[in-house]
Structure formats: C-alpha cells, structure tokens
Amino acid sequence: MTGSDIPSSFRLAYVPGVTPTKWVRVWHERLPRTSLELVRATAAEAPELLAGGGADAGLVRLPVDRSVLSAIPLYTETTVVVIPKDHVATAAEEVSLAELADEIVLHPLDDLLDWETLPGRPAVERPATTADAVELVAAGVGVLLVPQSLARLHHRKDLTYRPVPEAPGSRVALSWPEAEVTPDLVEEFIGIVRGRTVNSTRGRAATPPRPTAKDQAKEKGKGGDKAKGKRVGAGGGPGGGARHKPAAGRKPQSGGRAGGQSGKRGKPRGR
C-alpha cells in the first residue's frame, strides 16, 4: 500500500476476556501513521457491531453467522469453575463435572459456553450477567463455569478457580464483515495475528525496499569483479586457452631435435 492508500484509522472490536495488547503493539510498530481504535463490546453485541460497520474487525467468541461475517479461529479457552477459597474443591488441581453434581451451578444470561446439559443443580433465577454471577458465588449461593480469561477478569480475593477439562471450551476468533475482497488493513491485522513477518506479501505484490548506499557500493564492487574475471579468462583463466611466450634470446623450435638442429644432415662445406 502507498501512503495515500492507507486509511487514517482502523477500528478493532474486542470482547471481555480477550486481550489484544500484543497485537496492538505490533500494529503501532508496523503502521505508525494509521491509528488503531479499540471498541469494547459484549460477546452478544460484537457480531452485530461488525455487521453494521461499527468496527473494521473484531476479536469475538464463536459461533458467528458465517453468511454475514468471515472468521479465523485463533484459540480455544479452558473452562474453569469459580469457587470460594474455602471450597472443598480447592484441594484438587482439576474438577470433574461429576464432582459438581450436587452444586448449584449458576447460568448467567450472557453465558458463553455451548452446553448440551448444564451440570449440577439449577439456581432459582438466572443472573443477568457473568459479573452478577460472580457476586453470587462470593455470597455462597453457588458456583460458576466460565472461560478462564473471564475468571481472571472478575478476580476477587475471596474467590479462586480450577480447570474443568470435561466442560466445553470457548473459541476466540478474528472476524470481519464478509466481502469478496478483504480490505487491506484487515489483511494487515490478519498477518499480525498469524505472526507473519513485516516483509510477507499476504497475497499482494510487495514493494521492494529501496537500496541503501552500502548496497549500491556492494553492487558496484560485484560489477568490477565480473569484469576482471572476463579479462583473466580470455588470457590465462579457466577455459581461456593460455598463450606462452618463448624465453628471451631463444627462437621457437619448429619440430627438430633438441638444440635447434634440422631433421636432415647435410654435407660439410669445403673450406
């Protein structure tokens, strides 16, 4: 892209629990003249925000409507159970779903996990948000199953969490509005997220770097060496057919015996 082709800003939506910090840092290093605006949205709001043009791309939680949005899955988060620090389950490194059978498992309306059957016993009422559910866990009402990043986001000193390997995970993806041609800045961010180097073409013609003075000097040196090589080859180099001059003071021999005598002997002349 040329300087005139680059838009002045790029809007990136992200959902709670997702931390885009490292990718934003690389963006600022590679495109210092194009600002990146972060737009926070809930997991439920993010797809609609992208489809409506409220952001150029977003770090969202799957699933999304693939007929409206493109998406590249990035990673799957481990699910953990949030429990009070004095809970019996803290004695173990992991918790199975069977161990939660007698627990009241809170199921907030913004739950992100795709459950076939929710474990444990249901609460009388579903909390409106994950934040509300965390408060209920702290009050001793029940336990909560969430992606690990959300457990960290809503950290409290009186609560902890343990992994639940059998629970469904939450998949995080980079998503953007479906289109025949992906916008250049979205391609740039895809490259950053996927770890492409700054010189990667990403399917577009790369602009060759301008040679430095040092590079130009090297090229001139190479040109001189090639010219020298041709002169050597013509005279005495490989394949050049070397020519040998006779030693000074001696005439070249024409094919007789040593000493320069002729091949036939004549009669001695009379004196």
Side-chain angles (χ1 to χ4, degrees), residues 77-95 100 134 137 143-165:
E77 279 198 69
T78 299
T79 296
V80 301
V81 58
V82 180
I83 50 180
K85 280 194 171 180
D86 58 356
H87 196 282
V88 65
T90 58
E93 293 184 359
E94 297 179 343
V95 177
L100 300 175
V134 170
V137 173
V143 299
L144 175 66
L145 288 153
V146 291
Q148 184 169 318
S149 65
L150 290 185
R152 291 173 176 170
L153 180 65
H154 297 287
H155 171 71
R156 289 176 53 116
K157 292 182 179 180
D158 52 348
L159 300 179
T160 188
Y161 59 84
R162 292 291 183 272
V164 185

Side-chain angles (χ1 to χ4, degrees), residues 96-191:
S96 67
L97 292 178
E99 291 174 304
L100 300 175
D102 295 330
E103 298 282 351
I104 293 177
V105 178
L106 301 167
H107 190 206
L109 296 175
D110 63 355
D111 182 32
L112 302 170
L113 304 175
D114 186 17
W115 294 102
E116 290 185 4
T117 304
L118 193 68
R121 297 183 294 142
V124 175
E125 187 177 348
R126 292 183 66 179
T129 66
T130 297
D132 292 336
V134 170
E135 293 294 330
L136 292 175
V137 173
V141 174
V143 299
L144 175 66
L145 288 153
V146 291
Q148 184 169 318
S149 65
L150 290 185
R152 291 173 176 170
L153 180 65
H154 297 287
H155 171 71
R156 289 176 53 116
K157 292 182 179 180
D158 52 348
L159 300 179
T160 188
Y161 59 84
R162 292 291 183 272
V164 185
E166 300 167 290
S170 175
R171 294 183 298 159
V172 174
L174 174 63
S175 183
W176 64 95
E178 178 70 26
E180 291 185 5
V181 179
T182 304
D184 284 345
L185 287 183
V186 174
E187 282 284 7
E188 291 286 349
F189 198 78
I190 291 172

